[in-house]
Amino acid sequence: EAGVTQFPSHSVIEKGQTVTLRCDPISGHDNLYWYRRVMGKEIKFLLHFVKESKQDESGMPNNRFLAERTGGTYSTLKVQPAELEDSGVYFCASSQGYGKTQYFGPGTRLLVL
Amino acid sequence: EDQVTQSPEALRLQEGESSSLNCSYTVSGLRGLFWYRQDPGKGPEFLFTLYSAGEEKEKERLKATLTKKESFLHITAPKPEDSATYLCAVPYGQNFVFGPGTRLSVLP
C-alpha cells in the first residue's frame, strides 16, 4: 500500500513568488492534515480536512496560505506571496478517522530567499 | 493549549547502552499518546499508540509505557540504526500537538 506522498520534495523561491505544495494521502483516508516545522521549532498544525471540507484551519498563519482538497482526494497548499518566514518543512499526514494514527509524508522543504 | 514536553533534548549513547526518553503532557481527557521516529530529511514514522495509564507497547528494542502524566520510551541495547529524533504527540481537538523531540545518537 502506498504511503502519503508529497510534491515537490524541495522548493527554493524568492520572496513575493507563489508556491503550491501537493499532498496525496493514503487511499481511503478521509482525514488529511497539513503541518509545518520551522527551523529549531516543533511540528505545528496548520489545518485539517475531512474529505473536501475544512474541519479546522486554526493553525494557518495568515491569508497568504490557501489549502484546497477538491474531490476529497489530493490536497494543495498554496503560499502567495511567499515571505522569508514561510521557510520550513511542510508535512502532510492522513488518517482513517478522528483521533486515529496519522501517517506522514516525507515533507516539502521550502526555502524563501 | 495543551503542552507536550520531551527530555532530554539530545542523548548520546554507546551501542548497547540502554536508556529512556521522556514525554510529559498536560491534557484533559487523554485520547491517546503517539510516538514517532523521524530520520533526517524524512517525515515522522509511526511507532506506537498508548491509550491508558499502565499500557505498554514493544517493538524490537523499543518499549513505550504510559502513566497519567507522562510516557517513557525505553531503548534496550540500542544499535547505531536507532539514531533518530523521537517525537511524541497527543491529540488536541482534531489535530496533534507535538513535542520538540529527543535527538538520539547511538555510537558504535
Side-chain angles (χ1 to χ4, degrees), chain B residues 27-76:
Chain B
V27 62
S28 55
L30 183 69
R31 293 179 286 113
L33 184 139
F34 296 76
W35 280 100
Y36 289 83
R37 166 190 171 132
Q38 187 174 20
D39 293 294
K42 296 187 177 181
E45 175 188 347
F46 171 71
L47 293 174
F48 304 110
T49 308
L50 303 166
Y51 287 104
S52 57
E55 187 175 359
E56 298 183 353
K57 294 275 182 72
E58 286 190 66
K59 180 180 180 180
E60 296 182 354
R61 295 175 293 283
L62 301 176
K63 183 170 78 173
T65 61
L66 182 66
T67 70
K68 288 186 178 180
K69 288 299 180 186
E70 59 189 349
S71 177
F72 291 93
L73 185 64
H74 307 278
I75 304 177
T76 303

mmCIF file of all heavy atoms in Angstrom, chain B residues 27-76:
data_model
loop_
_atom_site.group_PDB
_atom_site.id
_atom_site.type_symbol
_atom_site.label_atom_id
_atom_site.label_comp_id
_atom_site.label_asym_id
_atom_site.label_seq_id
_atom_site.Cartn_x
_atom_site.Cartn_y
_atom_site.Cartn_z
ATOM 1 N N VAL B 27 -2.918 17.475 29.553
ATOM 2 C CA VAL B 27 -4.104 17.368 28.698
ATOM 3 C C VAL B 27 -5.239 16.828 29.542
ATOM 4 O O VAL B 27 -5.030 16.003 30.427
ATOM 5 C CB VAL B 27 -3.834 16.451 27.491
ATOM 6 C CG1 VAL B 27 -3.506 15.047 27.940
ATOM 7 C CG2 VAL B 27 -4.992 16.443 26.515
ATOM 8 N N SER B 28 -6.423 17.315 29.281
ATOM 9 C CA SER B 28 -7.593 16.785 29.965
ATOM 10 C C SER B 28 -8.253 15.762 29.050
ATOM 11 O O SER B 28 -8.453 16.010 27.872
ATOM 12 C CB SER B 28 -8.572 17.920 30.291
ATOM 13 O OG SER B 28 -8.898 18.627 29.121
ATOM 14 N N GLY B 29 -8.531 14.614 29.609
ATOM 15 C CA GLY B 29 -9.172 13.586 28.804
ATOM 16 C C GLY B 29 -8.277 13.064 27.698
ATOM 17 O O GLY B 29 -8.615 13.171 26.525
ATOM 18 N N LEU B 30 -7.159 12.475 28.081
ATOM 19 C CA LEU B 30 -6.205 11.974 27.089
ATOM 20 C C LEU B 30 -6.881 10.993 26.141
ATOM 21 O O LEU B 30 -7.549 10.056 26.564
ATOM 22 C CB LEU B 30 -5.026 11.296 27.792
ATOM 23 C CG LEU B 30 -3.914 10.785 26.883
ATOM 24 C CD1 LEU B 30 -3.161 11.939 26.241
ATOM 25 C CD2 LEU B 30 -2.959 9.881 27.647
ATOM 26 N N ARG B 31 -6.697 11.242 24.860
ATOM 27 C CA ARG B 31 -7.273 10.373 23.835
ATOM 28 C C ARG B 31 -6.173 9.645 23.073
ATOM 29 O O ARG B 31 -6.306 9.367 21.883
ATOM 30 C CB ARG B 31 -8.148 11.179 22.885
ATOM 31 C CG ARG B 31 -9.387 11.729 23.538
ATOM 32 C CD ARG B 31 -10.224 12.548 22.578
ATOM 33 N NE ARG B 31 -9.622 13.841 22.298
ATOM 34 C CZ ARG B 31 -9.136 14.195 21.115
ATOM 35 N NH1 ARG B 31 -9.144 13.351 20.101
ATOM 36 N NH2 ARG B 31 -8.630 15.397 20.926
ATOM 37 N N GLY B 32 -5.096 9.373 23.763
ATOM 38 C CA GLY B 32 -4.013 8.636 23.138
ATOM 39 C C GLY B 32 -2.728 9.431 23.147
ATOM 40 O O GLY B 32 -2.744 10.662 23.112
ATOM 41 N N LEU B 33 -1.626 8.730 23.232
ATOM 42 C CA LEU B 33 -0.316 9.349 23.117
ATOM 43 C C LEU B 33 0.442 8.582 22.044
ATOM 44 O O LEU B 33 0.472 7.349 22.068
ATOM 45 C CB LEU B 33 0.443 9.310 24.451
ATOM 46 C CG LEU B 33 1.794 10.042 24.414
ATOM 47 C CD1 LEU B 33 2.012 10.818 25.687
ATOM 48 C CD2 LEU B 33 2.941 9.111 24.136
ATOM 49 N N PHE B 34 0.996 9.316 21.105
ATOM 50 C CA PHE B 34 1.603 8.703 19.924
ATOM 51 C C PHE B 34 3.106 8.951 19.933
ATOM 52 O O PHE B 34 3.559 10.060 20.190
ATOM 53 C CB PHE B 34 1.000 9.310 18.644
ATOM 54 C CG PHE B 34 -0.467 9.034 18.482
ATOM 55 C CD1 PHE B 34 -1.407 9.732 19.226
ATOM 56 C CD2 PHE B 34 -0.907 8.082 17.581
ATOM 57 C CE1 PHE B 34 -2.766 9.483 19.080
ATOM 58 C CE2 PHE B 34 -2.261 7.819 17.423
ATOM 59 C CZ PHE B 34 -3.186 8.527 18.166
ATOM 60 N N TRP B 35 3.865 7.920 19.618
ATOM 61 C CA TRP B 35 5.311 8.048 19.446
ATOM 62 C C TRP B 35 5.658 7.881 17.972
ATOM 63 O O TRP B 35 5.146 6.986 17.289
ATOM 64 C CB TRP B 35 6.056 6.986 20.244
ATOM 65 C CG TRP B 35 6.199 7.296 21.708
ATOM 66 C CD1 TRP B 35 5.450 6.815 22.740
ATOM 67 C CD2 TRP B 35 7.186 8.152 22.307
ATOM 68 N NE1 TRP B 35 5.900 7.326 23.935
ATOM 69 C CE2 TRP B 35 6.965 8.144 23.709
ATOM 70 C CE3 TRP B 35 8.251 8.926 21.813
ATOM 71 C CZ2 TRP B 35 7.753 8.873 24.596
ATOM 72 C CZ3 TRP B 35 9.029 9.648 22.703
ATOM 73 C CH2 TRP B 35 8.780 9.613 24.078
ATOM 74 N N TYR B 36 6.541 8.753 17.505
ATOM 75 C CA TYR B 36 7.034 8.711 16.141
ATOM 76 C C TYR B 36 8.551 8.751 16.150
ATOM 77 O O TYR B 36 9.166 9.303 17.055
ATOM 78 C CB TYR B 36 6.536 9.903 15.326
ATOM 79 C CG TYR B 36 5.076 9.890 14.977
ATOM 80 C CD1 TYR B 36 4.115 10.343 15.882
ATOM 81 C CD2 TYR B 36 4.652 9.441 13.730
ATOM 82 C CE1 TYR B 36 2.770 10.334 15.552
ATOM 83 C CE2 TYR B 36 3.310 9.434 13.385
ATOM 84 C CZ TYR B 36 2.381 9.888 14.296
ATOM 85 O OH TYR B 36 1.044 9.877 13.961
ATOM 86 N N ARG B 37 9.126 8.220 15.104
ATOM 87 C CA ARG B 37 10.566 8.324 14.865
ATOM 88 C C ARG B 37 10.751 9.134 13.590
ATOM 89 O O ARG B 37 10.045 8.931 12.602
ATOM 90 C CB ARG B 37 11.156 6.924 14.682
ATOM 91 C CG ARG B 37 12.561 6.922 14.112
ATOM 92 C CD ARG B 37 13.023 5.552 13.708
ATOM 93 N NE ARG B 37 14.289 5.655 12.987
ATOM 94 C CZ ARG B 37 15.355 4.910 13.251
ATOM 95 N NH1 ARG B 37 15.311 3.970 14.194
ATOM 96 N NH2 ARG B 37 16.471 5.070 12.562
ATOM 97 N N GLN B 38 11.688 10.072 13.615
ATOM 98 C CA GLN B 38 11.959 10.855 12.423
ATOM 99 C C GLN B 38 13.436 10.822 12.093
ATOM 100 O O GLN B 38 14.278 11.205 12.907
ATOM 101 C CB GLN B 38 11.501 12.305 12.590
ATOM 102 C CG GLN B 38 11.617 13.107 11.310
ATOM 103 C CD GLN B 38 11.029 14.491 11.408
ATOM 104 O OE1 GLN B 38 10.840 15.028 12.493
ATOM 105 N NE2 GLN B 38 10.704 15.083 10.269
ATOM 106 N N ASP B 39 13.737 10.370 10.891
ATOM 107 C CA ASP B 39 15.106 10.382 10.382
ATOM 108 C C ASP B 39 15.332 11.672 9.607
ATOM 109 O O ASP B 39 14.380 12.250 9.058
ATOM 110 C CB ASP B 39 15.353 9.168 9.498
ATOM 111 C CG ASP B 39 15.324 7.875 10.302
ATOM 112 O OD1 ASP B 39 16.223 7.712 11.139
ATOM 113 O OD2 ASP B 39 14.400 7.059 10.106
ATOM 114 N N PRO B 40 16.582 12.117 9.522
ATOM 115 C CA PRO B 40 16.863 13.371 8.799
ATOM 116 C C PRO B 40 16.319 13.340 7.376
ATOM 117 O O PRO B 40 16.520 12.370 6.647
ATOM 118 C CB PRO B 40 18.396 13.437 8.816
ATOM 119 C CG PRO B 40 18.795 12.671 10.029
ATOM 120 C CD PRO B 40 17.801 11.548 10.135
ATOM 121 N N GLY B 41 15.623 14.409 6.992
ATOM 122 C CA GLY B 41 15.115 14.520 5.635
ATOM 123 C C GLY B 41 13.882 13.692 5.354
ATOM 124 O O GLY B 41 13.454 13.605 4.196
ATOM 125 N N LYS B 42 13.303 13.092 6.378
ATOM 126 C CA LYS B 42 12.113 12.267 6.185
ATOM 127 C C LYS B 42 10.974 12.733 7.092
ATOM 128 O O LYS B 42 11.187 13.530 8.007
ATOM 129 C CB LYS B 42 12.437 10.801 6.457
ATOM 130 C CG LYS B 42 13.451 10.215 5.496
ATOM 131 C CD LYS B 42 13.608 8.727 5.696
ATOM 132 C CE LYS B 42 14.578 8.136 4.689
ATOM 133 N NZ LYS B 42 14.715 6.654 4.854
ATOM 134 N N GLY B 43 9.791 12.226 6.814
ATOM 135 C CA GLY B 43 8.660 12.534 7.658
ATOM 136 C C GLY B 43 8.618 11.634 8.877
ATOM 137 O O GLY B 43 9.269 10.585 8.917
ATOM 138 N N PRO B 44 7.865 12.017 9.906
ATOM 139 C CA PRO B 44 7.729 11.160 11.091
ATOM 140 C C PRO B 44 7.151 9.802 10.734
ATOM 141 O O PRO B 44 6.193 9.709 9.968
ATOM 142 C CB PRO B 44 6.769 11.961 11.986
ATOM 143 C CG PRO B 44 6.908 13.379 11.537
ATOM 144 C CD PRO B 44 7.135 13.295 10.063
ATOM 145 N N GLU B 45 7.740 8.770 11.318
ATOM 146 C CA GLU B 45 7.300 7.398 11.093
ATOM 147 C C GLU B 45 6.643 6.885 12.362
ATOM 148 O O GLU B 45 7.240 6.902 13.443
ATOM 149 C CB GLU B 45 8.491 6.512 10.733
ATOM 150 C CG GLU B 45 8.158 5.033 10.585
ATOM 151 C CD GLU B 45 9.413 4.182 10.418
ATOM 152 O OE1 GLU B 45 10.493 4.746 10.176
ATOM 153 O OE2 GLU B 45 9.303 2.945 10.562
ATOM 154 N N PHE B 46 5.419 6.406 12.246
ATOM 155 C CA PHE B 46 4.656 5.967 13.407
ATOM 156 C C PHE B 46 5.315 4.771 14.086
ATOM 157 O O PHE B 46 5.744 3.823 13.435
ATOM 158 C CB PHE B 46 3.228 5.615 12.980
ATOM 159 C CG PHE B 46 2.422 4.944 14.046
ATOM 160 C CD1 PHE B 46 1.986 5.647 15.150
ATOM 161 C CD2 PHE B 46 2.102 3.594 13.950
ATOM 162 C CE1 PHE B 46 1.242 5.034 16.147
ATOM 163 C CE2 PHE B 46 1.357 2.967 14.936
ATOM 164 C CZ PHE B 46 0.928 3.690 16.027
ATOM 165 N N LEU B 47 5.357 4.845 15.428
ATOM 166 C CA LEU B 47 5.876 3.737 16.231
ATOM 167 C C LEU B 47 4.776 3.092 17.073
ATOM 168 O O LEU B 47 4.515 1.893 16.953
ATOM 169 C CB LEU B 47 7.000 4.222 17.154
ATOM 170 C CG LEU B 47 8.305 4.675 16.507
ATOM 171 C CD1 LEU B 47 9.239 5.258 17.558
ATOM 172 C CD2 LEU B 47 8.974 3.512 15.782
ATOM 173 N N PHE B 48 4.204 3.856 17.995
ATOM 174 C CA PHE B 48 3.253 3.316 18.963
ATOM 175 C C PHE B 48 2.118 4.289 19.241
ATOM 176 O O PHE B 48 2.289 5.493 19.113
ATOM 177 C CB PHE B 48 3.940 3.070 20.335
ATOM 178 C CG PHE B 48 5.146 2.196 20.318
ATOM 179 C CD1 PHE B 48 6.405 2.737 20.546
ATOM 180 C CD2 PHE B 48 5.042 0.834 20.103
ATOM 181 C CE1 PHE B 48 7.536 1.939 20.550
ATOM 182 C CE2 PHE B 48 6.160 0.025 20.103
ATOM 183 C CZ PHE B 48 7.408 0.578 20.326
ATOM 184 N N THR B 49 1.008 3.717 19.704
ATOM 185 C CA THR B 49 -0.057 4.491 20.323
ATOM 186 C C THR B 49 -0.369 3.866 21.671
ATOM 187 O O THR B 49 -0.500 2.643 21.777
ATOM 188 C CB THR B 49 -1.348 4.481 19.489
ATOM 189 O OG1 THR B 49 -1.063 4.863 18.146
ATOM 190 C CG2 THR B 49 -2.356 5.460 20.078
ATOM 191 N N LEU B 50 -0.479 4.705 22.690
ATOM 192 C CA LEU B 50 -0.856 4.260 24.029
ATOM 193 C C LEU B 50 -2.106 5.020 24.421
ATOM 194 O O LEU B 50 -2.201 6.230 24.186
ATOM 195 C CB LEU B 50 0.268 4.535 25.032
ATOM 196 C CG LEU B 50 1.624 3.907 24.703
ATOM 197 C CD1 LEU B 50 2.727 4.519 25.560
ATOM 198 C CD2 LEU B 50 1.567 2.397 24.935
ATOM 199 N N TYR B 51 -3.052 4.318 25.050
ATOM 200 C CA TYR B 51 -4.331 4.954 25.347
ATOM 201 C C TYR B 51 -4.635 5.091 26.836
ATOM 202 O O TYR B 51 -5.433 5.957 27.202
ATOM 203 C CB TYR B 51 -5.471 4.201 24.667
ATOM 204 C CG TYR B 51 -5.520 4.407 23.175
ATOM 205 C CD1 TYR B 51 -5.081 3.418 22.300
ATOM 206 C CD2 TYR B 51 -5.984 5.598 22.630
ATOM 207 C CE1 TYR B 51 -5.120 3.608 20.927
ATOM 208 C CE2 TYR B 51 -6.027 5.797 21.249
ATOM 209 C CZ TYR B 51 -5.592 4.798 20.411
ATOM 210 O OH TYR B 51 -5.627 4.998 19.053
ATOM 211 N N SER B 52 -4.062 4.234 27.658
ATOM 212 C CA SER B 52 -4.431 4.298 29.067
ATOM 213 C C SER B 52 -3.219 4.059 29.955
ATOM 214 O O SER B 52 -2.269 3.361 29.573
ATOM 215 C CB SER B 52 -5.522 3.265 29.374
ATOM 216 O OG SER B 52 -5.107 1.975 29.025
ATOM 217 N N ALA B 53 -3.264 4.660 31.156
ATOM 218 C CA ALA B 53 -2.175 4.520 32.113
ATOM 219 C C ALA B 53 -1.930 3.049 32.403
ATOM 220 O O ALA B 53 -2.873 2.278 32.597
ATOM 221 C CB ALA B 53 -2.505 5.280 33.399
ATOM 222 N N GLY B 54 -0.655 2.684 32.404
ATOM 223 C CA GLY B 54 -0.281 1.298 32.640
ATOM 224 C C GLY B 54 -0.073 0.500 31.362
ATOM 225 O O GLY B 54 0.479 -0.595 31.396
ATOM 226 N N GLU B 55 -0.489 1.053 30.255
ATOM 227 C CA GLU B 55 -0.347 0.336 28.985
ATOM 228 C C GLU B 55 1.116 0.355 28.538
ATOM 229 O O GLU B 55 1.831 1.324 28.749
ATOM 230 C CB GLU B 55 -1.226 0.991 27.921
ATOM 231 C CG GLU B 55 -1.274 0.218 26.611
ATOM 232 C CD GLU B 55 -2.248 0.843 25.625
ATOM 233 O OE1 GLU B 55 -2.895 1.853 25.974
ATOM 234 O OE2 GLU B 55 -2.353 0.317 24.497
ATOM 235 N N GLU B 56 1.545 -0.729 27.911
ATOM 236 C CA GLU B 56 2.889 -0.850 27.364
ATOM 237 C C GLU B 56 2.817 -1.414 25.954
ATOM 238 O O GLU B 56 1.959 -2.245 25.658
ATOM 239 C CB GLU B 56 3.758 -1.772 28.235
ATOM 240 C CG GLU B 56 3.972 -1.292 29.652
ATOM 241 C CD GLU B 56 4.894 -2.215 30.447
ATOM 242 O OE1 GLU B 56 5.260 -3.294 29.928
ATOM 243 O OE2 GLU B 56 5.261 -1.850 31.580
ATOM 244 N N LYS B 57 3.720 -0.961 25.092
ATOM 245 C CA LYS B 57 3.829 -1.491 23.733
ATOM 246 C C LYS B 57 5.308 -1.716 23.453
ATOM 247 O O LYS B 57 6.155 -0.943 23.889
ATOM 248 C CB LYS B 57 3.266 -0.496 22.707
ATOM 249 C CG LYS B 57 1.766 -0.257 22.801
ATOM 250 C CD LYS B 57 1.005 -1.291 22.031
ATOM 251 C CE LYS B 57 -0.505 -1.050 22.079
ATOM 252 N NZ LYS B 57 -0.915 0.116 21.261
ATOM 253 N N GLU B 58 5.611 -2.772 22.712
ATOM 254 C CA GLU B 58 7.003 -3.080 22.395
ATOM 255 C C GLU B 58 7.183 -3.299 20.906
ATOM 256 O O GLU B 58 6.279 -3.799 20.207
ATOM 257 C CB GLU B 58 7.456 -4.357 23.123
ATOM 258 C CG GLU B 58 7.688 -4.186 24.588
ATOM 259 C CD GLU B 58 8.363 -5.413 25.202
ATOM 260 O OE1 GLU B 58 9.526 -5.687 24.860
ATOM 261 O OE2 GLU B 58 7.717 -6.075 26.030
ATOM 262 N N LYS B 59 8.357 -2.915 20.427
ATOM 263 C CA LYS B 59 8.727 -3.161 19.037
ATOM 264 C C LYS B 59 10.245 -3.232 18.978
ATOM 265 O O LYS B 59 10.931 -2.237 19.189
ATOM 266 C CB LYS B 59 8.216 -2.046 18.137
ATOM 267 C CG LYS B 59 8.553 -2.227 16.672
ATOM 268 C CD LYS B 59 7.988 -1.054 15.847
ATOM 269 C CE LYS B 59 8.315 -1.207 14.374
ATOM 270 N NZ LYS B 59 7.765 -0.070 13.579
ATOM 271 N N GLU B 60 10.739 -4.415 18.741
ATOM 272 C CA GLU B 60 12.188 -4.665 18.681
ATOM 273 C C GLU B 60 12.838 -4.156 19.967
ATOM 274 O O GLU B 60 12.533 -4.645 21.051
ATOM 275 C CB GLU B 60 12.768 -4.020 17.425
ATOM 276 C CG GLU B 60 12.232 -4.630 16.138
ATOM 277 C CD GLU B 60 12.828 -4.025 14.884
ATOM 278 O OE1 GLU B 60 13.580 -3.037 14.981
ATOM 279 O OE2 GLU B 60 12.553 -4.557 13.802
ATOM 280 N N ARG B 61 13.727 -3.197 19.884
ATOM 281 C CA ARG B 61 14.458 -2.715 21.063
ATOM 282 C C ARG B 61 13.731 -1.581 21.796
ATOM 283 O O ARG B 61 14.250 -1.037 22.769
ATOM 284 C CB ARG B 61 15.857 -2.248 20.638
ATOM 285 C CG ARG B 61 16.729 -3.368 20.106
ATOM 286 C CD ARG B 61 18.043 -2.844 19.587
ATOM 287 N NE ARG B 61 17.887 -2.025 18.393
ATOM 288 C CZ ARG B 61 17.671 -2.506 17.192
ATOM 289 N NH1 ARG B 61 17.607 -3.803 16.990
ATOM 290 N NH2 ARG B 61 17.534 -1.686 16.144
ATOM 291 N N LEU B 62 12.560 -1.240 21.348
ATOM 292 C CA LEU B 62 11.810 -0.132 21.921
ATOM 293 C C LEU B 62 10.624 -0.618 22.735
ATOM 294 O O LEU B 62 9.923 -1.539 22.318
ATOM 295 C CB LEU B 62 11.303 0.803 20.815
ATOM 296 C CG LEU B 62 12.339 1.442 19.903
ATOM 297 C CD1 LEU B 62 11.643 2.262 18.818
ATOM 298 C CD2 LEU B 62 13.292 2.318 20.687
ATOM 299 N N LYS B 63 10.401 0.033 23.876
ATOM 300 C CA LYS B 63 9.206 -0.222 24.658
ATOM 301 C C LYS B 63 8.671 1.105 25.160
ATOM 302 O O LYS B 63 9.408 1.885 25.765
ATOM 303 C CB LYS B 63 9.486 -1.137 25.854
ATOM 304 C CG LYS B 63 8.220 -1.479 26.639
ATOM 305 C CD LYS B 63 8.426 -2.572 27.674
ATOM 306 C CE LYS B 63 9.110 -2.073 28.916
ATOM 307 N NZ LYS B 63 9.132 -3.125 29.971
ATOM 308 N N ALA B 64 7.390 1.342 24.911
ATOM 309 C CA ALA B 64 6.746 2.568 25.346
ATOM 310 C C ALA B 64 5.802 2.261 26.488
ATOM 311 O O ALA B 64 5.078 1.265 26.452
ATOM 312 C CB ALA B 64 5.981 3.213 24.191
ATOM 313 N N THR B 65 5.825 3.141 27.494
ATOM 314 C CA THR B 65 4.935 3.000 28.646
ATOM 315 C C THR B 65 4.217 4.316 28.876
ATOM 316 O O THR B 65 4.681 5.386 28.451
ATOM 317 C CB THR B 65 5.723 2.601 29.907
ATOM 318 O OG1 THR B 65 6.668 3.638 30.203
ATOM 319 C CG2 THR B 65 6.463 1.282 29.694
ATOM 320 N N LEU B 66 3.102 4.241 29.575
ATOM 321 C CA LEU B 66 2.278 5.428 29.796
ATOM 322 C C LEU B 66 1.799 5.486 31.244
ATOM 323 O O LEU B 66 1.333 4.493 31.783
ATOM 324 C CB LEU B 66 1.066 5.413 28.857
ATOM 325 C CG LEU B 66 0.120 6.615 28.921
ATOM 326 C CD1 LEU B 66 0.811 7.878 28.444
ATOM 327 C CD2 LEU B 66 -1.136 6.349 28.105
ATOM 328 N N THR B 67 1.950 6.681 31.846
ATOM 329 C CA THR B 67 1.337 6.949 33.142
ATOM 330 C C THR B 67 0.310 8.063 32.930
ATOM 331 O O THR B 67 0.047 8.458 31.802
ATOM 332 C CB THR B 67 2.382 7.401 34.183
ATOM 333 O OG1 THR B 67 2.838 8.720 33.834
ATOM 334 C CG2 THR B 67 3.574 6.440 34.211
ATOM 335 N N LYS B 68 -0.223 8.572 34.031
ATOM 336 C CA LYS B 68 -1.263 9.591 33.884
ATOM 337 C C LYS B 68 -0.738 10.920 33.355
ATOM 338 O O LYS B 68 -1.502 11.719 32.812
ATOM 339 C CB LYS B 68 -1.972 9.808 35.222
ATOM 340 C CG LYS B 68 -2.878 8.648 35.603
ATOM 341 C CD LYS B 68 -3.681 8.956 36.858
ATOM 342 C CE LYS B 68 -4.628 7.791 37.184
ATOM 343 N NZ LYS B 68 -5.422 8.056 38.406
ATOM 344 N N LYS B 69 0.563 11.178 33.518
ATOM 345 C CA LYS B 69 1.084 12.480 33.117
ATOM 346 C C LYS B 69 2.285 12.413 32.202
ATOM 347 O O LYS B 69 2.780 13.451 31.753
ATOM 348 C CB LYS B 69 1.447 13.303 34.359
ATOM 349 C CG LYS B 69 0.230 13.795 35.127
ATOM 350 C CD LYS B 69 -0.626 14.709 34.264
ATOM 351 C CE LYS B 69 -1.845 15.208 35.020
ATOM 352 N NZ LYS B 69 -2.757 15.977 34.135
ATOM 353 N N GLU B 70 2.797 11.192 31.944
ATOM 354 C CA GLU B 70 3.964 11.106 31.088
ATOM 355 C C GLU B 70 4.078 9.735 30.443
ATOM 356 O O GLU B 70 3.421 8.770 30.850
ATOM 357 C CB GLU B 70 5.236 11.424 31.887
ATOM 358 C CG GLU B 70 5.494 10.528 33.065
ATOM 359 C CD GLU B 70 6.624 11.024 33.941
ATOM 360 O OE1 GLU B 70 7.360 11.946 33.553
ATOM 361 O OE2 GLU B 70 6.793 10.476 35.054
ATOM 362 N N SER B 71 4.932 9.702 29.438
ATOM 363 C CA SER B 71 5.220 8.451 28.755
ATOM 364 C C SER B 71 6.730 8.318 28.639
ATOM 365 O O SER B 71 7.442 9.312 28.532
ATOM 366 C CB SER B 71 4.593 8.446 27.362
ATOM 367 O OG SER B 71 4.919 7.264 26.666
ATOM 368 N N PHE B 72 7.180 7.078 28.682
ATOM 369 C CA PHE B 72 8.595 6.798 28.514
ATOM 370 C C PHE B 72 8.789 5.904 27.303
ATOM 371 O O PHE B 72 7.999 4.996 27.050
ATOM 372 C CB PHE B 72 9.161 6.106 29.758
ATOM 373 C CG PHE B 72 9.217 6.987 30.972
ATOM 374 C CD1 PHE B 72 8.172 6.997 31.882
ATOM 375 C CD2 PHE B 72 10.305 7.822 31.190
ATOM 376 C CE1 PHE B 72 8.209 7.818 33.001
ATOM 377 C CE2 PHE B 72 10.354 8.639 32.314
ATOM 378 C CZ PHE B 72 9.301 8.642 33.214
ATOM 379 N N LEU B 73 9.856 6.168 26.590
ATOM 380 C CA LEU B 73 10.276 5.296 25.501
ATOM 381 C C LEU B 73 11.613 4.697 25.933
ATOM 382 O O LEU B 73 12.623 5.392 26.001
ATOM 383 C CB LEU B 73 10.425 6.073 24.198
ATOM 384 C CG LEU B 73 10.743 5.239 22.958
ATOM 385 C CD1 LEU B 73 9.599 4.274 22.648
ATOM 386 C CD2 LEU B 73 11.008 6.134 21.753
ATOM 387 N N HIS B 74 11.565 3.418 26.278
ATOM 388 C CA HIS B 74 12.755 2.729 26.749
ATOM 389 C C HIS B 74 13.460 2.092 25.558
ATOM 390 O O HIS B 74 12.815 1.419 24.737
ATOM 391 C CB HIS B 74 12.376 1.650 27.768
ATOM 392 C CG HIS B 74 11.540 2.154 28.896
ATOM 393 N ND1 HIS B 74 12.070 2.796 29.997
ATOM 394 C CD2 HIS B 74 10.196 2.116 29.093
ATOM 395 C CE1 HIS B 74 11.091 3.131 30.824
ATOM 396 N NE2 HIS B 74 9.949 2.744 30.304
ATOM 397 N N ILE B 75 14.768 2.289 25.484
ATOM 398 C CA ILE B 75 15.564 1.712 24.399
ATOM 399 C C ILE B 75 16.568 0.747 25.025
ATOM 400 O O ILE B 75 17.448 1.172 25.789
ATOM 401 C CB ILE B 75 16.276 2.807 23.593
ATOM 402 C CG1 ILE B 75 15.255 3.809 23.064
ATOM 403 C CG2 ILE B 75 17.079 2.193 22.466
ATOM 404 C CD1 ILE B 75 15.850 4.963 22.323
ATOM 405 N N THR B 76 16.416 -0.512 24.692
ATOM 406 C CA THR B 76 17.260 -1.561 25.274
ATOM 407 C C THR B 76 18.331 -1.976 24.273
ATOM 408 O O THR B 76 18.021 -2.296 23.126
ATOM 409 C CB THR B 76 16.416 -2.780 25.659
ATOM 410 O OG1 THR B 76 15.389 -2.367 26.581
ATOM 411 C CG2 THR B 76 17.270 -3.860 26.294
#
